[in-house]
Structures are given as structure tokens and as C-alpha cells.
Amino acid sequence: MKTITILIPAYNEEAVIDKMYEKLDSVCGGLSQYAFEFLFVNDGSTDRTLEQIKAFKEKDSRVQYVDLSRNFGKETAMLAGFDYAKGDALIIIDADLQQPPETFAEMIHWWEEGYDDVYAVRKDREGETWVKKWTSEMYYRVLQNVAKVKVYPQAGDFRLLDKKCVAALTQLREHERYTKGMYGWIGFKKKEISYIAEARAAGETKWKLSALMNLALNGITSYSTMPLRIWSIIGFIISMFAFVYLTIEIIRTMLFGTSVAGYPSLIAGILFLGGIQLISLGIIGEYLGRVFVETKERPVYFIQEYSEKEMKKEMDVSDDKDKESH
């Protein structure tokens, strides 16, 4: 019997986590030809999320949990899930029930047909404003144009991954993570299905505007150097205009003398060029900051508690690096 791990990252989801477990129990109970592991990753919750997960564990041997030492973010929580998953395949689903577990059967069907990455695309989003839908569409359009790898619009983390895909993703240990781009980068045989995203069953979204902006920035800077190239081109164009303007001013001064009449335009030009320089330095700083973080080679996360008392995988990675250095 094949085993399928259901990975559920959770952060302060006490209002909905019980409904999520009941839905998983119901859906997976109808797929009796497979064994299931419900792997909850508690991402440093400050409410009763972990206590509820432990209660599930006491009555259901399928439930496992990884408790991170603090809130590292969903991207890192998923990496922890990849590290500790035991299944022949893994399905990632959010704890808020916006993604229907009823889709599992279709995902598993295509996996059995030979596909390694069965990803679900949102056909519609209930409970979201048109502004959020429009900005999301525009972002993915821009990202697809600048990224060197294929990023699938409206395809989030809700997907089934074969264990070979999971093994590949666990080898990508960068801190500034954008997993949606990693799915395309690792390759493997992919299949698209669709679903309608429902409104949250309970609680509030944990994705604030600042977090979404940071994720969007990671998506662009992790898979493209296009921003650096764009500002190189802009700098070259402005330099050419500045050289032409300087030439004209020199000739005019030689022919007609000088005056202070152009002082306002001079100040405007200095401020404009100064702003361009600061923007370009900021973009360079974003890339440099990511290099700085990665060169520290710190572990991506730490585990507070694992349900099977085998808190070793992340430590094993560090031990192996130490042995290689010696």
C-alpha cells in the first residue's frame, strides 16, 4: 500500500484547524487503497494550534507534527515538511480550507498515471476583492516575463509531488525562499488541474501586505537578474542624454556666455539623477543582501519538537557539512 503525506503548514489556526482535520479524515477515509500521513508543521503559533494538533495525534496514529522553534514563515515551514515527510507522494494544502481536499482523488489519479507534479490552478477566488485578483494577475504576468524559469500563474502550493520532487526540493536550502519558482526550476513531469478557491472557513488570513510584498520581491530577485540589467540600460541612456546636454551647454556658454537663469532646471536635474542612483543602489542592495544572508550558511530552521522524537534531520545536515570541512 502506497503512503501519501498530507503536509499542512499552520500558524495561529486554532479557529479552523479542527475543521481541517475533520475534512482530511473524511476525504482520506474514502481513499482506503492508500495509507495517509497527516503532517502538521506548526510555524511558531502563539495560540492553541499546537495543543489541538497534539490532541489529534493522541487519537489518530496518522497524525504527525513538527513544531518549529519560532515563526519562520510558510516557505520555511514547507521545507521542514519536505524534510520530515515519509510518503511516496506528498500533497501540500493550507490549513484554512480555501483549497478543497476533495481534489486529492484527482491528484492521486494523475500521479498514478505517471505525473510527478500535479498542481492545482485557481479558476476563481471566493471572498477576494477584484483589486487583489487584478494585482495577483499582473504580478504573475511580470514575473513570467522576467524569470528564467517557468512560473505557473494562479498555481500556488496546493499540489501533489512525487517523492523524487520532494527529494529535489529538500536539496534547495536557500533562506530567501520562493517555492513557487522552485517547482518550475526542478522540472519533472507536470499535470495541471483546476479548482475554485473558497473563502476561509474561520479565522483571518496571515498574509499581510508587507509579507505579500516581500514574497513578491523574493520571486523576482530569486529567479531573475533582469532588474539589474534594466537599471544598467536606464543608467546608460541617462548618461547619453547627460553627455549630449553637457555638450550643448558647453557650446552655448562659449558662444553666448553664462548666466544663472537655468538654476531651477539644474536643481531638478540633480534631484532626478540622484533619485535614479538611489533606486539603482537599492536594487543592487537587495541582491547583495541575499548574498550576505546565504554566505552565513546558517540552518534554515530549528525544531522545537517532533512527534516521533527524531529531531535530527536539520542537525544531520549541519554535521555533514562540518565533517566535510574537516
PDB file of all heavy atoms in Angstrom, residues 173-201:
ATOM      1  N   ARG A 173      18.369  24.754  -0.243  1.00  0.00           N
ATOM      2  CA  ARG A 173      18.362  25.202   1.147  1.00  0.00           C
ATOM      3  C   ARG A 173      18.474  26.715   1.313  1.00  0.00           C
ATOM      4  O   ARG A 173      18.794  27.194   2.411  1.00  0.00           O
ATOM      5  CB  ARG A 173      19.523  24.548   1.916  1.00  0.00           C
ATOM      6  CG  ARG A 173      19.682  23.059   1.752  1.00  0.00           C
ATOM      7  CD  ARG A 173      18.478  22.276   2.202  1.00  0.00           C
ATOM      8  NE  ARG A 173      18.209  22.386   3.628  1.00  0.00           N
ATOM      9  CZ  ARG A 173      17.279  21.646   4.243  1.00  0.00           C
ATOM     10  NH1 ARG A 173      16.541  20.785   3.557  1.00  0.00           N
ATOM     11  NH2 ARG A 173      17.086  21.788   5.537  1.00  0.00           N
ATOM     12  N   GLU A 174      18.199  27.497   0.276  1.00  0.00           N
ATOM     13  CA  GLU A 174      18.346  28.939   0.449  1.00  0.00           C
ATOM     14  C   GLU A 174      17.341  29.490   1.458  1.00  0.00           C
ATOM     15  O   GLU A 174      16.261  28.929   1.660  1.00  0.00           O
ATOM     16  CB  GLU A 174      18.188  29.673  -0.888  1.00  0.00           C
ATOM     17  CG  GLU A 174      16.897  29.380  -1.604  1.00  0.00           C
ATOM     18  CD  GLU A 174      17.110  28.461  -2.786  1.00  0.00           C
ATOM     19  OE1 GLU A 174      17.841  27.465  -2.630  1.00  0.00           O
ATOM     20  OE2 GLU A 174      16.541  28.738  -3.867  1.00  0.00           O
ATOM     21  N   HIS A 175      17.710  30.600   2.100  1.00  0.00           N
ATOM     22  CA  HIS A 175      16.883  31.193   3.138  1.00  0.00           C
ATOM     23  C   HIS A 175      15.750  32.044   2.558  1.00  0.00           C
ATOM     24  O   HIS A 175      14.625  31.988   3.037  1.00  0.00           O
ATOM     25  CB  HIS A 175      17.744  32.049   4.077  1.00  0.00           C
ATOM     26  CG  HIS A 175      18.678  31.245   4.928  1.00  0.00           C
ATOM     27  ND1 HIS A 175      19.785  30.591   4.416  1.00  0.00           N
ATOM     28  CD2 HIS A 175      18.660  30.973   6.262  1.00  0.00           C
ATOM     29  CE1 HIS A 175      20.415  29.974   5.403  1.00  0.00           C
ATOM     30  NE2 HIS A 175      19.763  30.181   6.534  1.00  0.00           N
ATOM     31  N   GLU A 176      16.061  32.867   1.585  1.00  0.00           N
ATOM     32  CA  GLU A 176      15.038  33.695   0.942  1.00  0.00           C
ATOM     33  C   GLU A 176      14.336  32.838  -0.092  1.00  0.00           C
ATOM     34  O   GLU A 176      14.690  32.805  -1.266  1.00  0.00           O
ATOM     35  CB  GLU A 176      15.678  34.931   0.290  1.00  0.00           C
ATOM     36  CG  GLU A 176      16.408  35.843   1.257  1.00  0.00           C
ATOM     37  CD  GLU A 176      15.451  36.525   2.224  1.00  0.00           C
ATOM     38  OE1 GLU A 176      14.238  36.596   1.929  1.00  0.00           O
ATOM     39  OE2 GLU A 176      15.909  36.990   3.285  1.00  0.00           O
ATOM     40  N   ARG A 177      13.295  32.135   0.342  1.00  0.00           N
ATOM     41  CA  ARG A 177      12.702  31.084  -0.464  1.00  0.00           C
ATOM     42  C   ARG A 177      11.495  31.601  -1.245  1.00  0.00           C
ATOM     43  O   ARG A 177      10.699  32.407  -0.755  1.00  0.00           O
ATOM     44  CB  ARG A 177      12.273  29.913   0.418  1.00  0.00           C
ATOM     45  CG  ARG A 177      13.402  29.356   1.278  1.00  0.00           C
ATOM     46  CD  ARG A 177      12.967  28.148   2.071  1.00  0.00           C
ATOM     47  NE  ARG A 177      12.606  27.031   1.215  1.00  0.00           N
ATOM     48  CZ  ARG A 177      13.491  26.218   0.652  1.00  0.00           C
ATOM     49  NH1 ARG A 177      14.781  26.401   0.843  1.00  0.00           N
ATOM     50  NH2 ARG A 177      13.097  25.216  -0.109  1.00  0.00           N
ATOM     51  N   TYR A 178      11.373  31.098  -2.467  1.00  0.00           N
ATOM     52  CA  TYR A 178      10.179  31.318  -3.286  1.00  0.00           C
ATOM     53  C   TYR A 178       9.861  29.974  -3.927  1.00  0.00           C
ATOM     54  O   TYR A 178      10.287  29.681  -5.031  1.00  0.00           O
ATOM     55  CB  TYR A 178      10.419  32.400  -4.329  1.00  0.00           C
ATOM     56  CG  TYR A 178       9.155  32.773  -5.081  1.00  0.00           C
ATOM     57  CD1 TYR A 178       8.150  33.512  -4.453  1.00  0.00           C
ATOM     58  CD2 TYR A 178       8.971  32.395  -6.402  1.00  0.00           C
ATOM     59  CE1 TYR A 178       6.994  33.849  -5.118  1.00  0.00           C
ATOM     60  CE2 TYR A 178       7.806  32.739  -7.077  1.00  0.00           C
ATOM     61  CZ  TYR A 178       6.822  33.462  -6.435  1.00  0.00           C
ATOM     62  OH  TYR A 178       5.674  33.796  -7.099  1.00  0.00           O
ATOM     63  N   THR A 179       9.115  29.146  -3.188  1.00  0.00           N
ATOM     64  CA  THR A 179       8.915  27.758  -3.587  1.00  0.00           C
ATOM     65  C   THR A 179       8.145  27.638  -4.891  1.00  0.00           C
ATOM     66  O   THR A 179       8.341  26.680  -5.645  1.00  0.00           O
ATOM     67  CB  THR A 179       8.180  26.992  -2.467  1.00  0.00           C
ATOM     68  OG1 THR A 179       8.787  27.307  -1.206  1.00  0.00           O
ATOM     69  CG2 THR A 179       8.292  25.498  -2.672  1.00  0.00           C
ATOM     70  N   LYS A 180       7.264  28.592  -5.192  1.00  0.00           N
ATOM     71  CA  LYS A 180       6.508  28.536  -6.437  1.00  0.00           C
ATOM     72  C   LYS A 180       7.442  28.543  -7.652  1.00  0.00           C
ATOM     73  O   LYS A 180       7.132  27.946  -8.683  1.00  0.00           O
ATOM     74  CB  LYS A 180       5.529  29.705  -6.511  1.00  0.00           C
ATOM     75  CG  LYS A 180       4.438  29.666  -5.451  1.00  0.00           C
ATOM     76  CD  LYS A 180       3.532  30.878  -5.550  1.00  0.00           C
ATOM     77  CE  LYS A 180       2.471  30.866  -4.456  1.00  0.00           C
ATOM     78  NZ  LYS A 180       3.042  30.919  -3.103  1.00  0.00           N
ATOM     79  N   GLY A 181       8.567  29.239  -7.530  1.00  0.00           N
ATOM     80  CA  GLY A 181       9.557  29.208  -8.606  1.00  0.00           C
ATOM     81  C   GLY A 181      10.369  27.921  -8.602  1.00  0.00           C
ATOM     82  O   GLY A 181      10.795  27.438  -9.653  1.00  0.00           O
ATOM     83  N   MET A 182      10.583  27.343  -7.412  1.00  0.00           N
ATOM     84  CA  MET A 182      11.349  26.100  -7.315  1.00  0.00           C
ATOM     85  C   MET A 182      10.647  24.944  -8.003  1.00  0.00           C
ATOM     86  O   MET A 182      11.294  24.068  -8.582  1.00  0.00           O
ATOM     87  CB  MET A 182      11.585  25.747  -5.848  1.00  0.00           C
ATOM     88  CG  MET A 182      12.484  26.718  -5.104  1.00  0.00           C
ATOM     89  SD  MET A 182      12.683  26.250  -3.367  1.00  0.00           S
ATOM     90  CE  MET A 182      13.722  27.590  -2.778  1.00  0.00           C
ATOM     91  N   TYR A 183       9.308  24.920  -7.931  1.00  0.00           N
ATOM     92  CA  TYR A 183       8.574  23.845  -8.589  1.00  0.00           C
ATOM     93  C   TYR A 183       8.902  23.792 -10.080  1.00  0.00           C
ATOM     94  O   TYR A 183       9.063  22.719 -10.656  1.00  0.00           O
ATOM     95  CB  TYR A 183       7.065  24.033  -8.422  1.00  0.00           C
ATOM     96  CG  TYR A 183       6.582  24.038  -6.995  1.00  0.00           C
ATOM     97  CD1 TYR A 183       5.676  25.008  -6.553  1.00  0.00           C
ATOM     98  CD2 TYR A 183       7.013  23.089  -6.085  1.00  0.00           C
ATOM     99  CE1 TYR A 183       5.223  25.025  -5.245  1.00  0.00           C
ATOM    100  CE2 TYR A 183       6.566  23.099  -4.765  1.00  0.00           C
ATOM    101  CZ  TYR A 183       5.671  24.072  -4.354  1.00  0.00           C
ATOM    102  OH  TYR A 183       5.227  24.093  -3.059  1.00  0.00           O
ATOM    103  N   GLY A 184       8.977  24.968 -10.696  1.00  0.00           N
ATOM    104  CA  GLY A 184       9.320  25.002 -12.113  1.00  0.00           C
ATOM    105  C   GLY A 184      10.788  24.715 -12.350  1.00  0.00           C
ATOM    106  O   GLY A 184      11.153  24.083 -13.348  1.00  0.00           O
ATOM    107  N   TRP A 185      11.646  25.161 -11.435  1.00  0.00           N
ATOM    108  CA  TRP A 185      13.094  25.011 -11.618  1.00  0.00           C
ATOM    109  C   TRP A 185      13.524  23.555 -11.574  1.00  0.00           C
ATOM    110  O   TRP A 185      14.401  23.139 -12.339  1.00  0.00           O
ATOM    111  CB  TRP A 185      13.819  25.805 -10.539  1.00  0.00           C
ATOM    112  CG  TRP A 185      15.304  25.879 -10.742  1.00  0.00           C
ATOM    113  CD1 TRP A 185      15.983  26.803 -11.493  1.00  0.00           C
ATOM    114  CD2 TRP A 185      16.293  24.988 -10.210  1.00  0.00           C
ATOM    115  NE1 TRP A 185      17.334  26.539 -11.463  1.00  0.00           N
ATOM    116  CE2 TRP A 185      17.550  25.429 -10.682  1.00  0.00           C
ATOM    117  CE3 TRP A 185      16.237  23.877  -9.394  1.00  0.00           C
ATOM    118  CZ2 TRP A 185      18.735  24.795 -10.359  1.00  0.00           C
ATOM    119  CZ3 TRP A 185      17.424  23.234  -9.066  1.00  0.00           C
ATOM    120  CH2 TRP A 185      18.657  23.698  -9.538  1.00  0.00           C
ATOM    121  N   ILE A 186      12.924  22.738 -10.704  1.00  0.00           N
ATOM    122  CA  ILE A 186      13.354  21.346 -10.592  1.00  0.00           C
ATOM    123  C   ILE A 186      12.880  20.501 -11.774  1.00  0.00           C
ATOM    124  O   ILE A 186      13.420  19.415 -12.024  1.00  0.00           O
ATOM    125  CB  ILE A 186      12.864  20.698  -9.278  1.00  0.00           C
ATOM    126  CG1 ILE A 186      11.332  20.663  -9.223  1.00  0.00           C
ATOM    127  CG2 ILE A 186      13.433  21.436  -8.072  1.00  0.00           C
ATOM    128  CD1 ILE A 186      10.779  19.895  -8.026  1.00  0.00           C
ATOM    129  N   GLY A 187      11.880  20.989 -12.504  1.00  0.00           N
ATOM    130  CA  GLY A 187      11.420  20.236 -13.665  1.00  0.00           C
ATOM    131  C   GLY A 187      10.479  19.095 -13.290  1.00  0.00           C
ATOM    132  O   GLY A 187       9.591  19.250 -12.471  1.00  0.00           O
ATOM    133  N   PHE A 188      10.679  17.923 -13.904  1.00  0.00           N
ATOM    134  CA  PHE A 188       9.842  16.726 -13.754  1.00  0.00           C
ATOM    135  C   PHE A 188       8.515  16.895 -14.509  1.00  0.00           C
ATOM    136  O   PHE A 188       8.145  17.976 -14.933  1.00  0.00           O
ATOM    137  CB  PHE A 188       9.607  16.370 -12.285  1.00  0.00           C
ATOM    138  CG  PHE A 188      10.871  16.006 -11.543  1.00  0.00           C
ATOM    139  CD1 PHE A 188      11.439  16.896 -10.634  1.00  0.00           C
ATOM    140  CD2 PHE A 188      11.502  14.797 -11.771  1.00  0.00           C
ATOM    141  CE1 PHE A 188      12.604  16.570  -9.954  1.00  0.00           C
ATOM    142  CE2 PHE A 188      12.666  14.463 -11.095  1.00  0.00           C
ATOM    143  CZ  PHE A 188      13.221  15.353 -10.197  1.00  0.00           C
ATOM    144  N   LYS A 189       7.816  15.787 -14.637  1.00  0.00           N
ATOM    145  CA  LYS A 189       6.610  15.732 -15.465  1.00  0.00           C
ATOM    146  C   LYS A 189       5.433  16.331 -14.705  1.00  0.00           C
ATOM    147  O   LYS A 189       5.084  15.870 -13.616  1.00  0.00           O
ATOM    148  CB  LYS A 189       6.317  14.277 -15.848  1.00  0.00           C
ATOM    149  CG  LYS A 189       5.258  14.120 -16.923  1.00  0.00           C
ATOM    150  CD  LYS A 189       5.119  12.657 -17.327  1.00  0.00           C
ATOM    151  CE  LYS A 189       4.080  12.491 -18.431  1.00  0.00           C
ATOM    152  NZ  LYS A 189       3.933  11.049 -18.805  1.00  0.00           N
ATOM    153  N   LYS A 190       4.788  17.340 -15.285  1.00  0.00           N
ATOM    154  CA  LYS A 190       3.761  18.102 -14.582  1.00  0.00           C
ATOM    155  C   LYS A 190       2.390  17.938 -15.247  1.00  0.00           C
ATOM    156  O   LYS A 190       2.290  17.722 -16.452  1.00  0.00           O
ATOM    157  CB  LYS A 190       4.142  19.582 -14.526  1.00  0.00           C
ATOM    158  CG  LYS A 190       5.478  19.836 -13.835  1.00  0.00           C
ATOM    159  CD  LYS A 190       5.784  21.308 -13.715  1.00  0.00           C
ATOM    160  CE  LYS A 190       7.151  21.545 -13.114  1.00  0.00           C
ATOM    161  NZ  LYS A 190       7.278  21.016 -11.740  1.00  0.00           N
ATOM    162  N   LYS A 191       1.363  18.070 -14.401  1.00  0.00           N
ATOM    163  CA  LYS A 191      -0.026  17.995 -14.865  1.00  0.00           C
ATOM    164  C   LYS A 191      -0.843  19.059 -14.159  1.00  0.00           C
ATOM    165  O   LYS A 191      -0.766  19.211 -12.940  1.00  0.00           O
ATOM    166  CB  LYS A 191      -0.601  16.605 -14.573  1.00  0.00           C
ATOM    167  CG  LYS A 191      -2.088  16.467 -14.865  1.00  0.00           C
ATOM    168  CD  LYS A 191      -2.375  16.586 -16.365  1.00  0.00           C
ATOM    169  CE  LYS A 191      -3.866  16.413 -16.628  1.00  0.00           C
ATOM    170  NZ  LYS A 191      -4.182  16.552 -18.081  1.00  0.00           N
ATOM    171  N   GLU A 192      -1.634  19.789 -14.921  1.00  0.00           N
ATOM    172  CA  GLU A 192      -2.461  20.856 -14.363  1.00  0.00           C
ATOM    173  C   GLU A 192      -3.893  20.389 -14.158  1.00  0.00           C
ATOM    174  O   GLU A 192      -4.478  19.748 -15.037  1.00  0.00           O
ATOM    175  CB  GLU A 192      -2.447  22.068 -15.292  1.00  0.00           C
ATOM    176  CG  GLU A 192      -3.361  23.210 -14.849  1.00  0.00           C
ATOM    177  CD  GLU A 192      -3.382  24.357 -15.835  1.00  0.00           C
ATOM    178  OE1 GLU A 192      -2.293  24.760 -16.290  1.00  0.00           O
ATOM    179  OE2 GLU A 192      -4.490  24.837 -16.163  1.00  0.00           O
ATOM    180  N   ILE A 193      -4.451  20.694 -12.988  1.00  0.00           N
ATOM    181  CA  ILE A 193      -5.876  20.528 -12.737  1.00  0.00           C
ATOM    182  C   ILE A 193      -6.394  21.858 -12.202  1.00  0.00           C
ATOM    183  O   ILE A 193      -5.615  22.776 -11.950  1.00  0.00           O
ATOM    184  CB  ILE A 193      -6.164  19.384 -11.749  1.00  0.00           C
ATOM    185  CG1 ILE A 193      -5.544  19.675 -10.377  1.00  0.00           C
ATOM    186  CG2 ILE A 193      -5.636  18.052 -12.291  1.00  0.00           C
ATOM    187  CD1 ILE A 193      -5.911  18.651  -9.313  1.00  0.00           C
ATOM    188  N   SER A 194      -7.695  21.979 -12.028  1.00  0.00           N
ATOM    189  CA  SER A 194      -8.256  23.257 -11.602  1.00  0.00           C
ATOM    190  C   SER A 194      -9.187  23.066 -10.400  1.00  0.00           C
ATOM    191  O   SER A 194      -9.702  21.974 -10.150  1.00  0.00           O
ATOM    192  CB  SER A 194      -9.027  23.921 -12.746  1.00  0.00           C
ATOM    193  OG  SER A 194     -10.102  23.096 -13.161  1.00  0.00           O
ATOM    194  N   TYR A 195      -9.378  24.150  -9.662  1.00  0.00           N
ATOM    195  CA  TYR A 195     -10.297  24.146  -8.531  1.00  0.00           C
ATOM    196  C   TYR A 195     -10.764  25.570  -8.273  1.00  0.00           C
ATOM    197  O   TYR A 195     -10.183  26.534  -8.778  1.00  0.00           O
ATOM    198  CB  TYR A 195      -9.629  23.573  -7.273  1.00  0.00           C
ATOM    199  CG  TYR A 195      -8.633  24.512  -6.613  1.00  0.00           C
ATOM    200  CD1 TYR A 195      -8.980  25.252  -5.483  1.00  0.00           C
ATOM    201  CD2 TYR A 195      -7.338  24.671  -7.108  1.00  0.00           C
ATOM    202  CE1 TYR A 195      -8.075  26.106  -4.872  1.00  0.00           C
ATOM    203  CE2 TYR A 195      -6.431  25.521  -6.510  1.00  0.00           C
ATOM    204  CZ  TYR A 195      -6.808  26.236  -5.395  1.00  0.00           C
ATOM    205  OH  TYR A 195      -5.914  27.082  -4.804  1.00  0.00           O
ATOM    206  N   ILE A 196     -11.812  25.705  -7.484  1.00  0.00           N
ATOM    207  CA  ILE A 196     -12.317  27.020  -7.079  1.00  0.00           C
ATOM    208  C   ILE A 196     -11.915  27.263  -5.626  1.00  0.00           C
ATOM    209  O   ILE A 196     -12.245  26.465  -4.742  1.00  0.00           O
ATOM    210  CB  ILE A 196     -13.845  27.102  -7.223  1.00  0.00           C
ATOM    211  CG1 ILE A 196     -14.235  26.968  -8.701  1.00  0.00           C
ATOM    212  CG2 ILE A 196     -14.371  28.422  -6.659  1.00  0.00           C
ATOM    213  CD1 ILE A 196     -15.736  26.967  -8.938  1.00  0.00           C
ATOM    214  N   ALA A 197     -11.173  28.327  -5.392  1.00  0.00           N
ATOM    215  CA  ALA A 197     -10.722  28.654  -4.037  1.00  0.00           C
ATOM    216  C   ALA A 197     -11.888  29.207  -3.237  1.00  0.00           C
ATOM    217  O   ALA A 197     -12.528  30.183  -3.632  1.00  0.00           O
ATOM    218  CB  ALA A 197      -9.583  29.661  -4.089  1.00  0.00           C
ATOM    219  N   GLU A 198     -12.179  28.586  -2.114  1.00  0.00           N
ATOM    220  CA  GLU A 198     -13.275  29.018  -1.264  1.00  0.00           C
ATOM    221  C   GLU A 198     -12.801  30.060  -0.254  1.00  0.00           C
ATOM    222  O   GLU A 198     -11.600  30.255  -0.058  1.00  0.00           O
ATOM    223  CB  GLU A 198     -13.869  27.803  -0.535  1.00  0.00           C
ATOM    224  CG  GLU A 198     -14.370  26.719  -1.493  1.00  0.00           C
ATOM    225  CD  GLU A 198     -14.866  25.495  -0.753  1.00  0.00           C
ATOM    226  OE1 GLU A 198     -14.829  25.508   0.495  1.00  0.00           O
ATOM    227  OE2 GLU A 198     -15.279  24.534  -1.420  1.00  0.00           O
ATOM    228  N   ALA A 199     -13.741  30.712   0.387  1.00  0.00           N
ATOM    229  CA  ALA A 199     -13.402  31.657   1.461  1.00  0.00           C
ATOM    230  C   ALA A 199     -12.906  30.871   2.672  1.00  0.00           C
ATOM    231  O   ALA A 199     -13.200  29.688   2.832  1.00  0.00           O
ATOM    232  CB  ALA A 199     -14.631  32.491   1.833  1.00  0.00           C
ATOM    233  N   ARG A 200     -12.117  31.533   3.525  1.00  0.00           N
ATOM    234  CA  ARG A 200     -11.611  30.875   4.728  1.00  0.00           C
ATOM    235  C   ARG A 200     -12.773  30.328   5.559  1.00  0.00           C
ATOM    236  O   ARG A 200     -13.781  31.004   5.740  1.00  0.00           O
ATOM    237  CB  ARG A 200     -10.799  31.848   5.581  1.00  0.00           C
ATOM    238  CG  ARG A 200      -9.432  32.170   5.046  1.00  0.00           C
ATOM    239  CD  ARG A 200      -8.698  33.091   6.024  1.00  0.00           C
ATOM    240  NE  ARG A 200      -8.499  32.441   7.306  1.00  0.00           N
ATOM    241  CZ  ARG A 200      -7.411  31.767   7.632  1.00  0.00           C
ATOM    242  NH1 ARG A 200      -6.422  31.644   6.769  1.00  0.00           N
ATOM    243  NH2 ARG A 200      -7.300  31.212   8.829  1.00  0.00           N
ATOM    244  N   ALA A 201     -12.583  29.108   6.085  1.00  0.00           N
ATOM    245  CA  ALA A 201     -13.623  28.507   6.919  1.00  0.00           C
ATOM    246  C   ALA A 201     -13.757  29.245   8.245  1.00  0.00           C
ATOM    247  O   ALA A 201     -14.844  29.318   8.818  1.00  0.00           O
ATOM    248  CB  ALA A 201     -13.308  27.034   7.166  1.00  0.00           C
TER     249      ALA A 201
END
